[in-house]
Amino acid sequence: MRQLVATTAIAAVTLSACGFVNTGEENAGETATTLTAYVSTEQNVGLEPLFQRFERKTGTTVDASHALVDELNKQLRIQLTSGTAADVFRVSPGFSSPVAAGVLGKEGELADLSDGSWTDKLPDDARALAESDGKIVAFPIGRNALVMAYNKQLFADAGVDVPTTWSEFKQVCERLKANGTTPIATAFAEGVALQFWVYALASTLVYAEDPDLDKRMMADEEDFVDNEAWREVFDKFLELRDAGYMSPDALGVPYEQGPQLVATGEAAMTLLATPALAQLAELSENGAEDFGIFALPATDNAEDTHIPTAPDFLAVNASAKNPDAAKRLVEFLAKPENVVAYADAVSTLPGLDVDLETKNPTLEPIRPYLEEGRTTAYANYAWPNGDVQQTLLQSGQELFDGSITVDELLARMDADYDKGTP
């Protein structure tokens, strides 16, 4: 049986925040008040101007602070325990961390947002991760996707086009290799980029074909080690390694060097999350013009290809000091023009299905996948705890260097899956 494991946290800190000044402009006549928020540094880039617009429109001051995700996750758990958490804060999807929507929702830490006017615009893959016990408890301010970024000049030099099937992808790799170029920059030193390959292949091979697999796994009706689709994910990953298409000494290449190798022309492609495209553009003299993106195919039918996406969530504290203002802020952020404004500001995908188009041409090649619903969530967000992902990160490196087999890796992931939800 999948067991439930209690999550505990001790210690306390006080949330320190630097507020934005309310100008009173466009004041809607509401009583002036203060709302607190704790968001990621990346989110803050797009949220700061929207917070300011909300202040002008409502007269409500948004007293916001931000931190890198790892630090935010550590501090948020402590703040919730001590009763000092902000009214609105970032949460991770699913059960991927102790401050993920699924975990905090079960603990009663998140307000019910089910009556929000925006909930009918939730993409299916985001909806599944925004729910807890049948309630919507998280709002996707944006969505990231895993894409293959490529150096246009190296593709032209090798005389290859963007592949749309697995066979074409391998042919492109072979041509690039024959042309003296490392086909794929694989920076696997920390395991972060290695897991991206698993999620990208699983999006098409596992979840596009069997979206309810994790429900059966949670019910102890199926597991990793006996699932042929999951086995195919790792077999195809190793097929690229064995063909010599990946970086030499990949396990010694730091994560941040992946985009650098593509920008300098030492490698032709790298698999990355869409927010990293801005970093890639900064590394090149001509910026984004030097690079393109495509969805990683995994079968020989182009129509099968799906892309993994990850919602970037905000949630309202169930113990918010100003719950009404917090929910009004979420409603404001969910307006189509604000959804698009945020996406454009941080070079990401809209968090909701809205009719307005973003202005980022780099992301155009993957727009059809969103419009056609050919997306799935990152696999780890549907897993019942963060231990499964950690095993993938660590044991995945052992698989790559040949220390363990696919069966051994899948069995280890099953053992962690069996721990159940926190």
Side-chain angles (χ1 to χ4, degrees):
M1 294 292 292
R2 309 289 183 189
Q3 301 295 320
L4 299 182
V5 179
T7 299
T8 61
I10 58 175
V13 299
T14 302
L15 171 64
S16 61
C18 52
F20 299 110
V21 178
N22 174 28
T23 66
E25 192 177 322
E26 297 178 40
N27 194 295
E30 299 179 12
T31 303
T33 187
T34 298
L35 171 69
T36 56
Y38 189 29
V39 301
S40 73
T41 300
E42 178 184 290
Q43 287 177 327
N44 190 62
V45 173
L47 285 173
E48 182 172 356
L50 293 176
F51 286 161
Q52 292 172 344
R53 288 180 57 189
F54 179 75
E55 289 178 333
R56 292 194 297 269
K57 187 173 180 64
T58 67
T60 299
T61 299
V62 181
D63 190 20
S65 66
H66 60 88
L68 295 176
V69 171
D70 287 348
E71 180 63 20
L72 183 150
N73 286 350
K74 294 175 185 176
Q75 296 302 321
L76 181 57
R77 180 77 262 182
I78 297 170
Q79 292 158 8
L80 287 166
T81 301
S82 64
T84 60
D87 297 318
V88 176
F89 45 73
R90 180 197 183 273
V91 294
S92 305
F95 297 92
S96 55
S97 81
V99 289
V103 176
L104 296 181
K106 285 183 177 295
E107 294 176 354
E109 298 281 11
L110 306 182
D112 185 0
L113 304 178
S114 302
D115 60 354
S117 63
W118 47 271
T119 56
D120 62 345
K121 298 183 178 67
L122 274 169
D124 289 343
D125 51 319
R127 180 182 296 276
L129 299 173
E131 291 182 338
S132 179
D133 293 333
K135 300 175 183 178
I136 301 295
V137 296
F139 162 69
I141 185 63
R143 277 192 293 168
N144 300 327
L146 292 179
V147 297
M148 187 68 74
Y150 69 97
N151 185 309
K152 291 180 179 179
Q153 187 59 56
L154 291 179
F155 266 46
D157 292 345
V160 296
D161 297 319
V162 169
T164 60
T165 69
W166 181 250
S167 292
E168 289 177 0
F169 180 68
K170 290 191 296 180
Q171 290 167 6
V172 166
C173 288
E174 192 61 35
R175 290 281 294 276
L176 289 164
K177 182 181 176 183
N179 208 44
T181 299
T182 298
I184 308 166
T186 44
F188 291 164
E190 298 87 2
V192 175
L194 188 152
Q195 71 176 332
F196 286 171
W197 279 89
V198 175
Y199 303 155
L201 291 169
S203 182
T204 297
L205 296 174
V206 179
Y207 293 106
E209 294 295 322
D210 192 357
D212 294 326
L213 173 62
D214 276 293
K215 291 181 181 179
R216 300 198 307 277
M217 291 181 68
M218 288 283 281
D220 204 14
E221 296 171 358
E222 197 156 353
D223 52 27
F224 286 115
V225 77
D226 293 323
N227 186 276
E228 289 304 316
W230 267 112
R231 187 178 304 281
E232 186 178 7
V233 166
F234 289 100
D235 286 344
K236 287 196 166 180
F237 172 66
L238 295 179
E239 182 180 353
L240 299 176
R241 178 204 63 183
D242 294 342
Y245 298 150
M246 296 180 167
S247 297
D249 302 319
L251 293 177
V253 181
Y255 172 69
E256 63 273 9
Q257 285 189 15
Q260 293 175 6
L261 292 170
V262 175
T264 58
E266 296 175 68
M269 298 177 276
T270 192
L271 188 65
L272 44 68
T274 45
L277 291 170
Q279 174 198 357
L280 181 61
E282 290 174 359
L283 294 170
S284 176
E285 182 177 346
N286 298 316
E289 296 179 8
D290 286 343
F291 310 101
I293 64 171
F294 62 90
L296 177 67
T299 74
D300 282 337
N301 180 357
E303 297 302 313
D304 290 343
T305 302
H306 283 56
I307 58 173
T309 62
D312 198 11
F313 280 146
L314 294 175
V316 173
N317 190 344
S319 301
K321 294 179 176 59
N322 200 336
D324 291 339
K327 290 184 178 181
R328 284 197 299 272
L329 174 61
V330 173
E331 285 288 333
F332 176 79
L333 296 175
K335 291 180 180 295
E337 62 270 25
N338 293 334
V339 170
V340 170
Y342 177 87
D344 285 338
V346 300
S347 299
T348 194
L349 303 170
L352 300 175
D353 289 333
V354 296
D355 294 332
L356 300 179
E357 293 188 1
T358 59
K359 299 176 182 178
N360 189 339
T362 304
L363 299 177
E364 283 301 313
I366 62 172
R367 185 185 297 279
Y369 295 91
L370 275 67
E371 294 173 347
E372 297 166 15
R374 288 197 283 159
T375 64
T376 68
Y378 285 24
N380 66 304
Y381 292 145
W383 296 339
N385 57 65
D387 291 344
V388 188
Q389 179 194 21
Q390 288 305 309
T391 291
L392 172 61
L393 293 177
Q394 296 163 14
S395 298
Q397 291 177 305
E398 294 179 68
L399 174 71
F400 190 81
D401 72 11
S403 299
I404 63 172
T405 65
V406 171
D407 278 351
E408 289 173 315
L409 172 58
L410 295 176
R412 291 180 186 181
M413 292 171 65
D414 275 324
D416 285 317
Y417 203 106
D418 285 346
K419 296 176 183 177
T421 59

